Amino acid sequence: MPRVRTHLVTWDEIVEWSMNLARIIRENGYKPELVVAVSRGGFVPARLICDFLGVENLASIQSQHWTEAAKAEERAILKYPFKLDASGMRVLVVDDIVDTGETLRLARDYIRDNWSPLEVKTAALQWISPVAKYKPDYYYLEVKEWIWFQYPWTRLEDTYQFIKRMMSETYKETGKKEWSYKEIIDGFKEWYGIDVGDMYYREALRILLEKGIVKYDPGRDKYLLKV
Ligand code: AMP
């Protein structure tokens, strides 16, 4: 049993899910003139939705989770709250997944209140129904049990963070600081239940070295967690 339930999402799945999401929107009769990608996760789905619905206008807004200093709870913030004149336009705001829903709801509210659109609707490839405080107007997959979706566009970021987490938690539990490349790969597969492939493991280790989180000992061919 992996420690963190993770599903490795392939590019093919993204195309299939986006095409199905576009079909649901089309069948519902909604015809957006402007698609807005919620950056960064909504970029690829939004571009595909434009392709599948034949929409030429694509904008983006960056909404993301922010942990307030000294506060346990998280809230979403808009990074670049710019204004765009969308008067007379039907807008579709697209993200990859609705987890708590804060990110998509904030983007939707901001666009509705500041861009003067005719109408705003929201869409996501996936909606985690038991935890989400917000339900998008359109979604393709309802996720009934929380799981981490390892999307292709965050593969490197997730991989190095996952390796870092595995190494530091193992150190806390057992005092182990030294890892061979093979131990890292085997550990990763066991912890997360997925295999991202050699190219990503190598790149992730390069980043961990660059960030000074691990050190490489060429003599012993081992990666050392800096503690
Ligand atoms: P939310 O909690 O709905 O505000 O989610 C914010 C963003 O975090 C989403 O748009 C995703 O990019 C990312 N995210 C949240 N939960 C997950 C998950 N379970 N799997 C993958 N990405 C996630």
Side-chain angles (χ1 to χ4, degrees):
M1 229 354 225
R3 291 224 196 175
V4 182
R5 288 193 60 213
T6 309
H7 173 78
L8 185 79
V9 183
T10 65
W11 284 110
D12 283 352
E13 278 175 308
I14 293 302
V15 175
E16 188 204 317
W17 298 353
S18 302
M19 200 174 276
N20 277 299
L21 180 59
R23 177 184 47 76
I24 290 164
I25 297 164
R26 192 174 43 250
E27 284 173 2
N28 181 255
Y30 192 60
K31 292 193 171 117
E33 283 95 17
L34 172 66
V35 168
V36 181
V38 178
S39 174
R40 296 174 293 167
F43 253 102
V44 176
R47 181 60 187 91
L48 291 170
I49 295 284
C50 283
D51 192 22
F52 301 149
L53 291 181
V55 179
E56 279 187 11
N57 303 316
L58 174 62
S60 172
I61 190 155
Q62 186 153 12
S63 175
Q64 71 175 41
H65 259 129
W66 177 262
T67 310
E68 278 189 285
K71 274 205 172 177
E73 92 248 28
E74 291 195 338
R75 68 184 177 94
I77 53 149
L78 280 182
K79 264 189 139 175
Y80 310 106
F82 66 97
K83 286 206 182 175
L84 186 156
D85 182 10
S87 44
M89 287 177 144
R90 280 186 193 83
V91 175
L92 181 71
V93 189
V94 179
D95 207 352
D96 47 7
I97 190 166
V98 169
D99 189 326
T100 65
E102 298 289 337
T103 303
L104 188 55
R105 182 165 53 188
L106 179 70
R108 194 273 318 257
D109 289 354
Y110 178 78
I111 291 165
R112 184 195 57 204
D113 299 342
N114 296 277
W115 292 10
S116 330
L118 189 62
E119 201 174 354
V120 187
K121 291 208 171 184
T122 54
L125 300 177
Q126 293 169 289
W127 169 52
I128 312 189
S129 55
V131 291
K133 287 178 245 153
Y134 172 75
K135 184 178 179 185
D137 296 300
Y138 307 106
Y139 59 89
Y140 176 54
L141 296 171
E142 177 179 353
V143 179
K144 296 212 169 117
E145 261 178 74
W146 194 92
I147 179 168
W148 184 258
F149 290 91
Q150 204 308 287
Y151 296 117
W153 45 84
T154 52
R155 196 146 291 159
L156 184 55
E157 196 173 298
D158 285 358
T159 302
Y160 85 73
Q161 286 175 2
F162 277 0
I163 293 176
K164 179 182 166 197
R165 180 162 161 190
M166 172 182 80
M167 288 175 103
S168 31
E169 287 190 18
T170 303
Y171 172 71
K172 276 188 231 144
E173 285 166 20
T174 68
K176 176 184 171 67
K177 255 202 294 198
E178 287 188 2
W179 295 67
S180 68
Y181 180 73
K182 187 175 181 310
E183 281 176 324
I184 293 172
I185 310 314
D186 292 346
F188 186 96
K189 291 179 194 165
E190 203 181 302
W191 269 60
Y192 305 104
I194 58 169
D195 182 7
V196 297
D198 200 52
M199 192 171 76
Y200 278 101
Y201 297 125
R202 295 273 177 208
E203 270 303 289
L205 285 169
R206 182 188 60 73
I207 291 173
L208 290 171
L209 287 166
E210 205 175 271
K211 287 184 181 289
I213 294 162
V214 297
K215 220 168 56 180
Y216 179 62
D217 178 348
R220 308 183 57 232
D221 194 18
K222 294 260 169 126
Y223 292 90
L224 310 170
L225 177 70
K226 284 211 214 161
V227 285

PDB file of all heavy atoms in Angstrom, residues 41 65 95-103 128 146-149 151, ligand 1:
ATOM      1  N   GLY A  41      -2.588  25.270 -13.259  1.00  0.00           N
ATOM      2  CA  GLY A  41      -3.130  23.947 -13.559  1.00  0.00           C
ATOM      3  C   GLY A  41      -4.130  23.894 -14.707  1.00  0.00           C
ATOM      4  O   GLY A  41      -4.287  22.864 -15.346  1.00  0.00           O
ATOM      5  N   HIS A  65      -3.310  28.834  -4.008  1.00  0.00           N
ATOM      6  CA  HIS A  65      -3.437  28.744  -2.568  1.00  0.00           C
ATOM      7  C   HIS A  65      -2.277  29.418  -1.851  1.00  0.00           C
ATOM      8  O   HIS A  65      -1.145  29.329  -2.271  1.00  0.00           O
ATOM      9  CB  HIS A  65      -3.525  27.280  -2.144  1.00  0.00           C
ATOM     10  CG  HIS A  65      -4.922  26.887  -1.869  1.00  0.00           C
ATOM     11  ND1 HIS A  65      -5.504  25.790  -2.415  1.00  0.00           N
ATOM     12  CD2 HIS A  65      -5.864  27.468  -1.113  1.00  0.00           C
ATOM     13  CE1 HIS A  65      -6.740  25.713  -1.988  1.00  0.00           C
ATOM     14  NE2 HIS A  65      -6.984  26.720  -1.200  1.00  0.00           N
ATOM     15  N   ASP A  95     -10.184  24.955 -14.961  1.00  0.00           N
ATOM     16  CA  ASP A  95      -9.070  24.500 -14.126  1.00  0.00           C
ATOM     17  C   ASP A  95      -8.941  22.984 -14.267  1.00  0.00           C
ATOM     18  O   ASP A  95      -9.827  22.327 -14.822  1.00  0.00           O
ATOM     19  CB  ASP A  95      -9.300  24.896 -12.660  1.00  0.00           C
ATOM     20  CG  ASP A  95      -7.988  25.061 -11.900  1.00  0.00           C
ATOM     21  OD1 ASP A  95      -6.916  24.725 -12.454  1.00  0.00           O
ATOM     22  OD2 ASP A  95      -8.018  25.515 -10.750  1.00  0.00           O
ATOM     23  N   ASP A  96      -7.821  22.447 -13.753  1.00  0.00           N
ATOM     24  CA  ASP A  96      -7.635  20.998 -13.855  1.00  0.00           C
ATOM     25  C   ASP A  96      -8.537  20.247 -12.890  1.00  0.00           C
ATOM     26  O   ASP A  96      -9.285  19.359 -13.258  1.00  0.00           O
ATOM     27  CB  ASP A  96      -6.147  20.600 -13.652  1.00  0.00           C
ATOM     28  CG  ASP A  96      -5.485  21.267 -12.458  1.00  0.00           C
ATOM     29  OD1 ASP A  96      -6.179  21.949 -11.670  1.00  0.00           O
ATOM     30  OD2 ASP A  96      -4.260  21.112 -12.295  1.00  0.00           O
ATOM     31  N   ILE A  97      -8.482  20.648 -11.596  1.00  0.00           N
ATOM     32  CA  ILE A  97      -9.235  19.896 -10.584  1.00  0.00           C
ATOM     33  C   ILE A  97      -9.823  20.843  -9.544  1.00  0.00           C
ATOM     34  O   ILE A  97      -9.217  21.863  -9.227  1.00  0.00           O
ATOM     35  CB  ILE A  97      -8.330  18.822  -9.920  1.00  0.00           C
ATOM     36  CG1 ILE A  97      -9.139  17.871  -9.037  1.00  0.00           C
ATOM     37  CG2 ILE A  97      -7.189  19.446  -9.144  1.00  0.00           C
ATOM     38  CD1 ILE A  97      -8.368  16.613  -8.640  1.00  0.00           C
ATOM     39  N   VAL A  98     -10.990  20.510  -9.065  1.00  0.00           N
ATOM     40  CA  VAL A  98     -11.584  21.243  -7.957  1.00  0.00           C
ATOM     41  C   VAL A  98     -11.417  20.365  -6.734  1.00  0.00           C
ATOM     42  O   VAL A  98     -12.011  19.299  -6.636  1.00  0.00           O
ATOM     43  CB  VAL A  98     -13.070  21.563  -8.224  1.00  0.00           C
ATOM     44  CG1 VAL A  98     -13.743  22.086  -6.972  1.00  0.00           C
ATOM     45  CG2 VAL A  98     -13.192  22.572  -9.349  1.00  0.00           C
ATOM     46  N   ASP A  99     -10.535  20.809  -5.826  1.00  0.00           N
ATOM     47  CA  ASP A  99     -10.286  20.052  -4.598  1.00  0.00           C
ATOM     48  C   ASP A  99     -11.087  20.750  -3.497  1.00  0.00           C
ATOM     49  O   ASP A  99     -12.247  20.418  -3.273  1.00  0.00           O
ATOM     50  CB  ASP A  99      -8.781  20.026  -4.316  1.00  0.00           C
ATOM     51  CG  ASP A  99      -8.403  19.082  -3.176  1.00  0.00           C
ATOM     52  OD1 ASP A  99      -9.189  18.949  -2.245  1.00  0.00           O
ATOM     53  OD2 ASP A  99      -7.312  18.489  -3.207  1.00  0.00           O
ATOM     54  N   THR A 100     -10.518  21.787  -2.846  1.00  0.00           N
ATOM     55  CA  THR A 100     -11.358  22.558  -1.919  1.00  0.00           C
ATOM     56  C   THR A 100     -12.311  23.441  -2.738  1.00  0.00           C
ATOM     57  O   THR A 100     -13.398  23.769  -2.290  1.00  0.00           O
ATOM     58  CB  THR A 100     -10.510  23.488  -1.032  1.00  0.00           C
ATOM     59  OG1 THR A 100      -9.888  24.466  -1.863  1.00  0.00           O
ATOM     60  CG2 THR A 100      -9.468  22.720  -0.262  1.00  0.00           C
ATOM     61  N   GLY A 101     -11.858  23.849  -3.925  1.00  0.00           N
ATOM     62  CA  GLY A 101     -12.682  24.701  -4.772  1.00  0.00           C
ATOM     63  C   GLY A 101     -12.385  26.185  -4.613  1.00  0.00           C
ATOM     64  O   GLY A 101     -12.885  27.011  -5.361  1.00  0.00           O
ATOM     65  N   GLU A 102     -11.523  26.520  -3.643  1.00  0.00           N
ATOM     66  CA  GLU A 102     -11.211  27.932  -3.377  1.00  0.00           C
ATOM     67  C   GLU A 102     -10.640  28.631  -4.609  1.00  0.00           C
ATOM     68  O   GLU A 102     -11.000  29.758  -4.925  1.00  0.00           O
ATOM     69  CB  GLU A 102     -10.169  28.048  -2.248  1.00  0.00           C
ATOM     70  CG  GLU A 102     -10.581  27.500  -0.908  1.00  0.00           C
ATOM     71  CD  GLU A 102     -11.638  28.344  -0.233  1.00  0.00           C
ATOM     72  OE1 GLU A 102     -11.737  29.529  -0.571  1.00  0.00           O
ATOM     73  OE2 GLU A 102     -12.368  27.802   0.613  1.00  0.00           O
ATOM     74  N   THR A 103      -9.716  27.949  -5.267  1.00  0.00           N
ATOM     75  CA  THR A 103      -9.011  28.546  -6.402  1.00  0.00           C
ATOM     76  C   THR A 103      -9.966  28.930  -7.534  1.00  0.00           C
ATOM     77  O   THR A 103      -9.959  30.062  -8.011  1.00  0.00           O
ATOM     78  CB  THR A 103      -7.968  27.530  -6.926  1.00  0.00           C
ATOM     79  OG1 THR A 103      -7.107  27.194  -5.843  1.00  0.00           O
ATOM     80  CG2 THR A 103      -7.152  28.096  -8.049  1.00  0.00           C
ATOM     81  N   ILE A 128     -13.521  16.806  -6.765  1.00  0.00           N
ATOM     82  CA  ILE A 128     -13.444  15.890  -5.613  1.00  0.00           C
ATOM     83  C   ILE A 128     -14.653  16.188  -4.728  1.00  0.00           C
ATOM     84  O   ILE A 128     -14.607  17.056  -3.842  1.00  0.00           O
ATOM     85  CB  ILE A 128     -12.115  16.025  -4.837  1.00  0.00           C
ATOM     86  CG1 ILE A 128     -10.909  16.008  -5.812  1.00  0.00           C
ATOM     87  CG2 ILE A 128     -11.990  14.884  -3.823  1.00  0.00           C
ATOM     88  CD1 ILE A 128      -9.552  15.926  -5.145  1.00  0.00           C
ATOM     89  N   TRP A 146     -10.415  11.110  -1.836  1.00  0.00           N
ATOM     90  CA  TRP A 146      -9.292  12.010  -2.113  1.00  0.00           C
ATOM     91  C   TRP A 146      -8.054  11.218  -2.539  1.00  0.00           C
ATOM     92  O   TRP A 146      -7.687  10.215  -1.950  1.00  0.00           O
ATOM     93  CB  TRP A 146      -8.955  12.867  -0.884  1.00  0.00           C
ATOM     94  CG  TRP A 146      -8.046  13.998  -1.264  1.00  0.00           C
ATOM     95  CD1 TRP A 146      -8.428  15.249  -1.629  1.00  0.00           C
ATOM     96  CD2 TRP A 146      -6.615  13.947  -1.354  1.00  0.00           C
ATOM     97  NE1 TRP A 146      -7.315  15.990  -1.944  1.00  0.00           N
ATOM     98  CE2 TRP A 146      -6.186  15.217  -1.790  1.00  0.00           C
ATOM     99  CE3 TRP A 146      -5.653  12.969  -1.127  1.00  0.00           C
ATOM    100  CZ2 TRP A 146      -4.855  15.538  -1.987  1.00  0.00           C
ATOM    101  CZ3 TRP A 146      -4.320  13.292  -1.343  1.00  0.00           C
ATOM    102  CH2 TRP A 146      -3.931  14.562  -1.759  1.00  0.00           C
ATOM    103  N   ILE A 147      -7.423  11.712  -3.561  1.00  0.00           N
ATOM    104  CA  ILE A 147      -6.195  11.103  -4.088  1.00  0.00           C
ATOM    105  C   ILE A 147      -5.404  12.221  -4.770  1.00  0.00           C
ATOM    106  O   ILE A 147      -6.003  13.211  -5.200  1.00  0.00           O
ATOM    107  CB  ILE A 147      -6.575   9.951  -5.062  1.00  0.00           C
ATOM    108  CG1 ILE A 147      -5.347   9.277  -5.675  1.00  0.00           C
ATOM    109  CG2 ILE A 147      -7.486  10.372  -6.164  1.00  0.00           C
ATOM    110  CD1 ILE A 147      -5.677   7.971  -6.385  1.00  0.00           C
ATOM    111  N   TRP A 148      -4.087  12.082  -4.815  1.00  0.00           N
ATOM    112  CA  TRP A 148      -3.287  13.093  -5.516  1.00  0.00           C
ATOM    113  C   TRP A 148      -3.164  12.700  -6.987  1.00  0.00           C
ATOM    114  O   TRP A 148      -2.715  11.595  -7.301  1.00  0.00           O
ATOM    115  CB  TRP A 148      -1.891  13.237  -4.894  1.00  0.00           C
ATOM    116  CG  TRP A 148      -1.120  14.342  -5.569  1.00  0.00           C
ATOM    117  CD1 TRP A 148      -0.143  14.199  -6.509  1.00  0.00           C
ATOM    118  CD2 TRP A 148      -1.317  15.749  -5.394  1.00  0.00           C
ATOM    119  NE1 TRP A 148       0.281  15.435  -6.918  1.00  0.00           N
ATOM    120  CE2 TRP A 148      -0.422  16.405  -6.259  1.00  0.00           C
ATOM    121  CE3 TRP A 148      -2.163  16.530  -4.592  1.00  0.00           C
ATOM    122  CZ2 TRP A 148      -0.339  17.797  -6.343  1.00  0.00           C
ATOM    123  CZ3 TRP A 148      -2.083  17.914  -4.684  1.00  0.00           C
ATOM    124  CH2 TRP A 148      -1.177  18.528  -5.543  1.00  0.00           C
ATOM    125  N   PHE A 149      -3.571  13.594  -7.880  1.00  0.00           N
ATOM    126  CA  PHE A 149      -3.436  13.337  -9.312  1.00  0.00           C
ATOM    127  C   PHE A 149      -2.124  13.939  -9.781  1.00  0.00           C
ATOM    128  O   PHE A 149      -1.932  15.158  -9.681  1.00  0.00           O
ATOM    129  CB  PHE A 149      -4.633  13.910 -10.081  1.00  0.00           C
ATOM    130  CG  PHE A 149      -5.877  13.129  -9.807  1.00  0.00           C
ATOM    131  CD1 PHE A 149      -6.725  13.498  -8.776  1.00  0.00           C
ATOM    132  CD2 PHE A 149      -6.158  11.979 -10.527  1.00  0.00           C
ATOM    133  CE1 PHE A 149      -7.849  12.745  -8.468  1.00  0.00           C
ATOM    134  CE2 PHE A 149      -7.278  11.214 -10.234  1.00  0.00           C
ATOM    135  CZ  PHE A 149      -8.123  11.600  -9.208  1.00  0.00           C
ATOM    136  N   TYR A 151      -0.385  15.157 -12.449  1.00  0.00           N
ATOM    137  CA  TYR A 151      -0.587  15.607 -13.837  1.00  0.00           C
ATOM    138  C   TYR A 151       0.746  15.741 -14.556  1.00  0.00           C
ATOM    139  O   TYR A 151       1.772  16.048 -13.941  1.00  0.00           O
ATOM    140  CB  TYR A 151      -1.299  16.966 -13.844  1.00  0.00           C
ATOM    141  CG  TYR A 151      -2.694  16.937 -13.284  1.00  0.00           C
ATOM    142  CD1 TYR A 151      -3.024  17.651 -12.142  1.00  0.00           C
ATOM    143  CD2 TYR A 151      -3.688  16.190 -13.909  1.00  0.00           C
ATOM    144  CE1 TYR A 151      -4.305  17.628 -11.621  1.00  0.00           C
ATOM    145  CE2 TYR A 151      -4.970  16.162 -13.394  1.00  0.00           C
ATOM    146  CZ  TYR A 151      -5.271  16.879 -12.255  1.00  0.00           C
ATOM    147  OH  TYR A 151      -6.531  16.853 -11.742  1.00  0.00           O
TER     148      TYR A 151
HETATM  149  P1  AMP B   1      -8.266  23.869  -4.714  1.00  0.00           P
HETATM  150  O1  AMP B   1      -8.090  23.182  -3.387  1.00  0.00           O
HETATM  151  O2  AMP B   1      -9.560  23.431  -5.373  1.00  0.00           O
HETATM  152  O3  AMP B   1      -8.221  25.360  -4.553  1.00  0.00           O
HETATM  153  O4  AMP B   1      -7.057  23.371  -5.607  1.00  0.00           O
HETATM  154  C1  AMP B   1      -6.040  24.230  -6.038  1.00  0.00           C
HETATM  155  C2  AMP B   1      -5.176  23.655  -7.136  1.00  0.00           C
HETATM  156  O5  AMP B   1      -4.248  22.758  -6.513  1.00  0.00           O
HETATM  157  C3  AMP B   1      -5.846  22.851  -8.240  1.00  0.00           C
HETATM  158  O6  AMP B   1      -6.240  23.650  -9.322  1.00  0.00           O
HETATM  159  C4  AMP B   1      -4.735  21.888  -8.630  1.00  0.00           C
HETATM  160  O7  AMP B   1      -3.855  22.483  -9.570  1.00  0.00           O
HETATM  161  C5  AMP B   1      -4.015  21.625  -7.322  1.00  0.00           C
HETATM  162  N1  AMP B   1      -4.588  20.442  -6.633  1.00  0.00           N
HETATM  163  C6  AMP B   1      -5.384  20.461  -5.542  1.00  0.00           C
HETATM  164  N2  AMP B   1      -5.723  19.214  -5.169  1.00  0.00           N
HETATM  165  C7  AMP B   1      -5.132  18.371  -6.047  1.00  0.00           C
HETATM  166  C8  AMP B   1      -5.120  16.927  -6.192  1.00  0.00           C
HETATM  167  N3  AMP B   1      -5.798  16.131  -5.367  1.00  0.00           N
HETATM  168  N4  AMP B   1      -4.384  16.402  -7.199  1.00  0.00           N
HETATM  169  C9  AMP B   1      -3.684  17.223  -8.032  1.00  0.00           C
HETATM  170  N5  AMP B   1      -3.661  18.561  -7.960  1.00  0.00           N
HETATM  171  C10 AMP B   1      -4.384  19.154  -6.974  1.00  0.00           C
END
